[in-house]
Amino acid sequence: MSEPTNAEVLVKLAELEGRMNTMEERYDKGWALLREDMAKRDADAAKRETRMLLAMAAMIGLGIAILGFIG
């Protein structure tokens, strides 16, 4: 088997660069989607935390009111 010519090597290198760029684009898109999903998750977690704090405050208020009526 003979050694490839410089032209053949350059063509193969160009093909590999093209594939590498395609994979980099895929990874970049994947990271962008992951960041978007994490931002949505963080926003949802903040909403849940706010609702939980309001529910706890309401329960504490209700408990104080009940104790006020009993006492």
Side-chain angles (χ1 to χ4, degrees), residues 9-50:
V9 171
L10 290 175
V11 167
K12 197 60 144 171
L13 182 61
E15 290 173 1
L16 292 173
E17 276 185 305
R19 280 196 226 156
M20 184 180 72
N21 290 338
T22 300
M23 291 305 295
E24 284 179 4
E25 289 174 10
R26 283 176 151 176
Y27 288 139
D28 290 342
K29 287 178 186 177
W31 284 113
L33 289 172
L34 180 62
R35 282 191 291 273
E36 183 180 319
D37 287 346
M38 289 175 67
K40 287 179 186 177
R41 184 206 60 199
D42 291 345
D44 289 344
K47 287 178 187 176
R48 279 193 306 273
E49 185 176 341
T50 301

